[in-house]
Amino acid sequence: MRNKLIAGNWKMHGSRVANEAWVRALQAEPILESVELAVLVPAPYLAQMQQLLGGSTCVWGGQDVSDQERGAFTGEVAASMLREFGCRYTVVGHSERRQRHGETDVQVAAKAQQALAQDLIPILCLGESLEQREAGKTAQVMRHQLGVLLDILGEGGMARSVLAYEPLWAIGTGRSATPAQVQEVHAWLRQQCAETSPGLAENIQILYGGSVKSSNAVELMTLPDVDGALVGGASLVAQEFLAIARAAAKASQRTE
Ligand code: PEP
């Protein structure tokens, strides 16, 4: 059975004081046995997370990683550096990076390779724009994005990764995809993975991301092909993040 993962992507938010308050709020709550929690923070806060979360059940990670191992790449963060600060995960190919920094599918795969080489788990983001969805091109776009990842990472690399379906039109808009839309795409992604390997399809975690909040989490987390959530805005408020995690825990118990 696949475990659920609730990963909070803080994007470019946080401060040392606010981060500490967030962690304390999390630590004041009972541990949720059936759900893994992760928080993906701006790189300057990784040391703080290592200090505050070390030994707790919530793991932490980066929001991006370089496609290079080391060298003259000003501003970039190497996978080995994320590793050194105790990261377990890193987001790769978030749409905000694809859009603002022109990251291509091949570059995204190269970043994932760097992460995997350091035993980090890449959270591989993919998703279609509103224009592409309305033009009926969702499957075509996803086939290409996933195809490049499967080709470059292979079954072995994909088996050590997490997929995150994040339709661009649902990110930060307050407009989540409907449960039916989410389940359709997640089932389709799993089916595509099955063409490479039925074992991969069975085991790969597929998260949904796009305006997940406590009010829609129960419905989304109970979908059969949804293995958790990548949560942006709502993850900044510890109580919201926890409420989403509790919804995922409840959903896991139902399917046990
Ligand atoms: C995200 O940043 O990955 C995301 C899903 O954002 P939000 O939850 O705010 O839509």
Side-chain angles (χ1 to χ4, degrees):
M1 211 195 69
R2 298 179 299 270
N3 289 330
K4 291 234 187 312
L5 166 65
I6 302 296
N9 171 19
W10 283 358
K11 313 194 190 208
M12 200 172 71
H13 293 287
S15 69
R16 287 186 65 86
V17 171
N19 303 348
E20 181 159 356
W22 190 95
V23 170
R24 299 290 172 229
L26 198 78
Q27 287 170 337
E29 293 292 317
I31 292 168
L32 294 167
E33 301 287 349
S34 47
V35 176
E36 186 180 14
L37 301 184
V39 62
L40 310 160
V41 303
Y45 297 136
L46 289 172
Q48 188 190 17
M49 289 300 122
Q50 188 173 33
Q51 191 209 336
L52 293 174
L53 289 170
S56 86
T57 52
C58 179
V59 299
W60 60 97
Q63 298 177 358
D64 183 35
V65 66
S66 178
D67 60 356
Q68 303 293 319
E69 197 180 333
R70 71 175 71 81
F73 304 103
T74 303
E76 298 199 19
V77 175
S80 59
M81 298 169 187
L82 295 180
R83 185 81 231 165
E84 208 176 344
F85 284 95
C87 292
R88 180 170 169 80
Y89 291 98
T90 184
V91 178
V92 173
H94 193 281
S95 61
E96 286 156 13
R97 294 210 57 87
R98 289 178 187 257
Q99 286 177 312
R100 288 182 58 86
H101 302 273
E103 289 183 11
T104 64
D105 293 325
V106 170
Q107 223 177 340
V108 169
K111 287 177 174 224
Q113 281 180 310
Q114 289 294 330
L116 289 166
Q118 292 293 330
D119 279 334
L120 296 167
I121 302 172
I123 300 178
L124 307 167
C125 299
L126 28 85
E128 81 288 2
S129 67
L130 186 58
E131 224 176 23
Q132 290 164 333
R133 174 165 280 267
E134 285 176 351
K137 290 187 175 157
T138 301
Q140 187 185 322
V141 172
M142 308 291 283
R143 186 176 290 112
H144 186 263
Q145 291 181 348
L146 184 64
V148 172
L149 291 169
L150 282 165
D151 280 354
I152 296 180
L153 303 184
E155 183 186 341
M158 289 296 287
R160 295 194 290 130
S161 305
V162 169
L163 277 179
Y165 169 54
E166 296 213 314
L168 273 60
W169 45 274
I171 297 180
T173 58
R175 172 190 170 190
S176 168
T178 65
Q181 287 170 326
V182 174
Q183 174 54 26
E184 184 186 20
V185 175
H186 280 228
W188 185 87
L189 285 168
R190 209 176 289 291
Q191 181 52 40
Q192 294 294 303
C193 289
E195 288 177 18
T196 295
S197 150
L200 173 66
E202 182 57 32
N203 293 318
I204 194 164
Q205 285 173 302
I206 310 180
L207 312 184
Y208 167 71
S211 299
V212 175
K213 38 195 178 256
S214 57
S215 57
N216 59 18
V218 173
E219 220 178 355
L220 290 166
M221 293 306 110
T222 31
L223 297 170
D225 285 296
V226 173
D227 307 311
L230 184 53
V231 187
S235 72
L236 295 170
V237 180
Q239 290 308 330
E240 262 293 291
F241 183 69
L242 282 163
I244 294 166
R246 280 193 288 269
K250 209 182 267 177
S252 303
Q253 281 153 12
R254 266 189 231 167
T255 53
E256 264 169 19

